[in-house]
Amino acid sequence: GAGVSQSPRYKVAKRGQDVALRCDPISGHVSLFWYQQALGQGPEFLTYFQNEAQLDKSGLPSDRFFAERPEGSVSTLKIQRTQQEDSAVYLCASSPTGALNEQFFGPGTRLTVL
Amino acid sequence: AQSVTQPDIHITVSEGASLELRCNYSYGATPYLFWYVQSPGQGLQLLLKYFSGDTLVQGIKGFEAEFKRSQSSFNLRKPSVHWSDAAEYFCAVGATGGFKTIFGAGTRLFVKA
């Protein structure tokens, strides 16, 4: 496909379970971002990759959150021991160049932790 | 620290009427400014961006925004709203030399016939 894709689109987890969210950016895009969007709020920055290098992870809320992009394309956001407050939509975006340019967003993964 | 304020949680406009969505930012230097739109079931889409130069920027779908440094504002405008413009609008700011984009909480636009 031509756009950013994310899978799964919906994920229900029991509290304490680990989850993995996948992002397929637009082919050739250098930059990749993860955001968390709570209900009624704007996207909140989690982390940024430039190719395979994670250059900023200051937005990850705790050490239960981990992101990787080992080959500079597909990225995975992993949340360990999920908590109810992790329930949100997780958005992935990619950009063809540096961080401060147009970002192309995926549809998001809606995570519900019971 | 950078921040973005969108004072209006929601706005209702009649179809054909003009629209202005407010955005105020906090940042020490000249910021990179963006407006994104999020339609139901759709990903966020860039409407327009300001990096430097002419302070009035034109975007897609007939939108424009004006950067006013003295007011720390970047308001979005459209002269005539269409029903299809009903969506959530987000103002965002990025810092020179940084990687983060900070989004406002959004303004939901309702369009009445």
Side-chain angles (χ1 to χ4, degrees):
Chain A
V4 177
S5 60
Q6 294 184 246
S7 59
R9 290 293 310 279
Y10 303 91
K11 177 69 177 177
V12 178
K14 291 183 179 179
R15 191 173 53 183
Q17 280 185 333
D18 297 349
V19 298
L21 311 180
R22 177 186 169 109
C23 172
D24 286 81
I26 294 171
S27 177
H29 277 197
V30 167
S31 294
L32 186 144
F33 308 79
W34 283 100
Y35 294 88
Q36 181 188 61
Q37 187 175 21
L39 192 63
Q41 299 297 315
E44 194 162 329
F45 173 87
L46 294 177
T47 188
Y48 167 71
F49 288 88
Q50 189 171 90
N51 297 308
E52 69 279 3
Q54 189 174 22
L55 298 185
D56 189 336
K57 55 181 181 179
S58 62
L60 296 177
S62 76
D63 59 8
R64 296 186 295 104
F65 286 71
F66 173 76
E68 60 183 4
R69 192 186 187 200
E71 297 179 359
S73 55
V74 171
S75 178
T76 304
L77 177 67
K78 298 178 180 177
I79 308 173
Q80 296 178 323
R81 304 181 305 280
T82 52
Q83 304 294 314
Q84 284 189 323
E85 60 263 28
D86 300 334
S87 296
V89 176
Y90 290 85
L91 299 172
C92 176
S94 69
S95 175
T97 55
L100 294 178
N101 216 320
E102 176 178 3
Q103 296 177 38
F104 296 82
F105 282 81
T109 294
R110 181 177 296 278
L111 173 64
T112 303
V113 181
L114 304 176
Chain B
Q2 298 162 260
S3 66
V4 177
T5 302
Q6 294 182 247
D8 304 302
I9 297 173
H10 55 80
I11 282 182
T12 300
V13 174
S14 296
E15 191 169 16
S18 64
L19 169 71
E20 182 168 30
L21 302 182
R22 296 182 292 164
C23 172
N24 292 95
Y25 68 90
S26 173
Y27 180 60
T30 300
Y32 286 56
L33 295 162
F34 308 85
W35 274 99
Y36 283 86
V37 60
Q38 187 175 38
S39 299
Q42 306 286 320
L44 282 86
Q45 181 184 21
L46 181 71
L47 287 175
L48 48 79
K49 62 188 179 187
Y50 173 77
F51 289 171
S52 64
D54 192 348
T55 56
L56 184 64
V57 293
Q58 303 296 320
I60 62 170
K61 303 184 182 185
F63 286 92
E64 66 176 28
E66 186 171 13
F67 170 58
K68 292 186 177 179
R69 184 191 301 275
S70 61
Q71 299 177 18
S72 296
S73 70
F74 189 58
N75 294 350
L76 182 71
R77 299 194 295 248
K78 186 170 185 178
S80 178
V81 168
H82 187 262
W83 65 266
S84 60
D85 293 324
E88 184 106 31
Y89 291 80
F90 294 96
C91 182
V93 62
T96 307
F99 308 114
K100 242 182 239 194
T101 301
I102 307 297
F103 284 79
T107 297
R108 181 164 293 279
L109 173 65
F110 297 95
V111 180
K112 60 182 181 180

